[in-house]
Amino acid sequence: MTDFIAQGNLPDEYADLAKGVRDFAQRVVAPVSAQHDKDHTFPYEVVSGMAEMGLFGIPFPEEFGGMGGDYFALCLALEELAKVDQSVAITLEAGVGLGAMPIYRFGSQEQKEQWLPMLASGEALGGFGLTEAGAGSDASGTRTTAKEDGDEWVINGSKQFITNSGTDITKLVTVTAVTGESQTADGRVKKEISTIIVPTNTPGFTAEPAYDKVGWNASDTHPLSFSDVRVPKANLLGERGRGYANFLRILDEGRIAIAALAVGAAQGCVDESVKYAKERQAFGHAIGEYQAIQFKIARMEARAHTARSAYYNAAALMLAGKPFKKAASIAKMIASEAAMDNARDATQIHGGYGFMNEYVVSRHYRDSKILEIGEGTTEVQLMLIARELSL
């Protein structure tokens, strides 16, 4: 896969997928994006179209209803969607990477057979409840508990910022919870963190009112509460006490996907700026004839190109079974910063129109900031990179 870093050298199956998603994004997503963003509505018709294309099943085996593809193919789809609408792209990324992938990676055969076909088909969405008011990167801050009572887990607590957690087609949320405690040799209390599948129709589970966000307005995001939520002990996902460790693996993979999404946003800003610079006239010339604009767009293209190479490299390492944690963090950091920088420059190039919400670049300006925060902040990526350097 290393030759994928050379632009324009994708094998036919990947190139065909990217083209198909690109056409879908222009034909189906673009016409409705501004309205869904304005109304803060979830784009069910778009999600249905993605499901029909098999996008939610890209990296899963056919035995579970998937397309038999790989993670890099998913990343290509995310990049194409994000050029047009980041809300749609994050719905796919979270549905696959956070909703379905933990079950595929760590679930029992029975759990896979029960949940993966509906998630891979796009018939249903799943979420992952990790973050709390005082816990995200810091597992020790987890307050949600799951206590054994006969053959059931009884869950109490809350989560926040959970994507795909309150739609009409959300069927499950996998949550991290404290399932026990132990004392270390130096007297400290160590929490045992496990992950448990919670069907959304379980009594006591509540998706609270959706957030009023700066961006990603068509993406579904809720705080969650759990009040004596009872699920079978068989809903434990993976080994007891390994919940947080397992999710760190999911985050490593997810950072490559977020990088791909961010590259799409960065490239979308380039594409819109090139088009606008050729059309907009000032002082008798298209503004694209002025070197100041040319150089700004050239820097934008360089950022997108560099970030794409970074996520291609991380994906290649992952699929080759080689260590990829550092490469994933580098890709996520570079790509998210490229998206934010390009959105700022694209808005400047568009002038007053860039400040109008109906323009794609204005949505990228609002949407891109979260890319430097979600699934590990820029500061967390720097910490991980330094740690991989033995610092």
Side-chain angles (χ1 to χ4, degrees):
M1 258 189 66
T2 55
D3 61 346
F4 288 178
I5 298 174
Q7 300 302 303
N9 196 32
L10 291 176
D12 289 345
E13 64 269 24
Y14 291 114
D16 290 344
L17 170 68
K19 182 181 184 303
V21 178
R22 189 181 311 126
D23 291 345
F24 174 83
Q26 292 297 329
R27 178 173 49 84
V28 177
V29 182
V32 299
S33 290
Q35 194 64 47
H36 280 299
D37 177 80
K38 178 181 178 181
D39 296 340
H40 292 218
T41 49
F42 188 75
Y44 286 102
E45 75 281 20
V46 173
V47 171
S48 177
M50 291 194 293
E52 290 178 8
M53 292 180 67
L55 300 189
F56 288 94
I58 286 175
F60 303 117
E62 294 180 7
E63 65 175 299
F64 297 119
M67 299 294 288
D70 58 30
Y71 210 84
F72 181 69
L74 171 66
C75 288
L76 291 175
L78 292 171
E79 180 181 344
E80 294 299 335
L81 291 171
K83 291 177 182 178
V84 172
D85 191 329
Q86 291 187 46
S87 288
V88 168
I90 196 59
T91 298
L92 176 62
E93 192 278 333
V96 175
L98 300 178
M101 192 59 72
I103 294 175
Y104 176 61
R105 293 287 187 216
F106 310 116
S108 65
Q109 185 67 22
E110 291 76 13
Q111 289 169 339
K112 292 177 184 178
E113 292 175 353
Q114 178 181 1
W115 296 110
L116 278 183
M118 70 174 72
L119 296 174
S121 69
E123 171 191 343
L125 291 175
F128 199 103
L130 171 69
T131 306
E132 299 182 10
S137 302
D138 179 12
S140 65
T142 301
R143 297 288 181 265
T144 298
T145 61
K147 297 182 179 180
E148 296 177 85
D149 184 13
D151 292 331
E152 295 180 319
W153 293 105
V154 182
I155 304 171
N156 284 282
S158 62
K159 300 291 179 179
Q160 63 180 15
F161 310 142
I162 311 303
T163 306
N164 292 347
S165 58
T167 74
D168 293 343
I169 58 174
T170 301
K171 299 300 181 184
L172 70 96
V173 176
T174 302
V175 300
T176 52
V178 179
T179 52
E181 293 181 344
S182 60
Q183 196 167 33
T184 63
D186 59 1
R188 294 183 297 109
V189 174
K190 181 180 180 181
K191 294 179 178 179
E192 176 189 80
I193 308 292
S194 303
T195 46
I196 300 172
I197 300 171
V198 179
T200 54
N201 62 357
T202 307
F205 170 87
T206 303
E208 304 292 350
Y211 292 103
D212 184 10
K213 298 171 292 186
V214 171
W216 285 5
N217 288 328
S219 167
D220 178 82
T221 319
H222 296 260
L224 307 177
S225 63
F226 305 84
S227 179
D228 289 332
V229 172
R230 290 179 172 269
V231 298
K233 290 182 71 174
N235 283 26
L236 178 72
L237 182 63
E239 182 182 345
R240 178 171 177 169
R242 293 287 299 171
Y244 194 77
N246 287 344
F247 192 63
L248 290 180
R249 160 71 192 224
I250 294 297
L251 283 180
D252 286 340
E253 296 179 1
R255 284 165 184 147
I256 303 175
I258 291 294
L261 191 159
V263 167
Q267 189 65 56
C269 288
V270 174
D271 297 345
E272 291 297 318
S273 295
V274 169
K275 181 171 66 175
Y276 185 78
K278 290 179 178 179
E279 297 172 350
R280 176 74 164 91
Q281 296 284 321
F283 305 105
H285 298 274
I287 63 172
E289 295 181 25
Y290 297 109
Q291 196 173 68
I293 299 297
Q294 293 173 356
F295 280 10
K296 193 179 290 290
I297 295 176
R299 284 191 180 277
M300 292 166 63
E301 175 69 8
R303 291 186 196 119
H305 178 95
T306 302
R308 183 179 295 107
S309 296
Y311 100 69
Y312 275 30
N313 178 60
L317 291 172
M318 173 188 162
L319 295 184
K322 297 179 181 179
F324 66 93
K325 180 185 289 288
K326 182 176 72 172
S329 287
I330 290 172
K332 200 272 185 182
M333 182 182 71
I334 288 176
S336 61
E337 291 181 347
M340 193 68 243
D341 289 345
N342 278 14
R344 182 184 62 249
D345 284 350
T347 301
Q348 190 73 18
I349 289 168
H350 279 69
Y353 291 112
F355 205 60
M356 301 296 109
N357 279 328
E358 64 264 29
Y359 279 76
V360 176
V361 296
S362 74
R363 297 201 301 275
H364 279 311
Y365 188 80
R366 288 185 285 106
D367 290 346
S368 293
K369 183 56 194 174
I370 190 60
L371 295 169
E372 297 181 311
I373 299 171
E375 293 206 30
T377 64
T378 296
E379 291 74 18
V380 166
Q381 305 316 314
L382 290 168
M383 178 187 71
L384 293 172
I385 294 166
R387 185 179 297 167
E388 290 294 309
L389 295 172
S390 302
L391 295 174

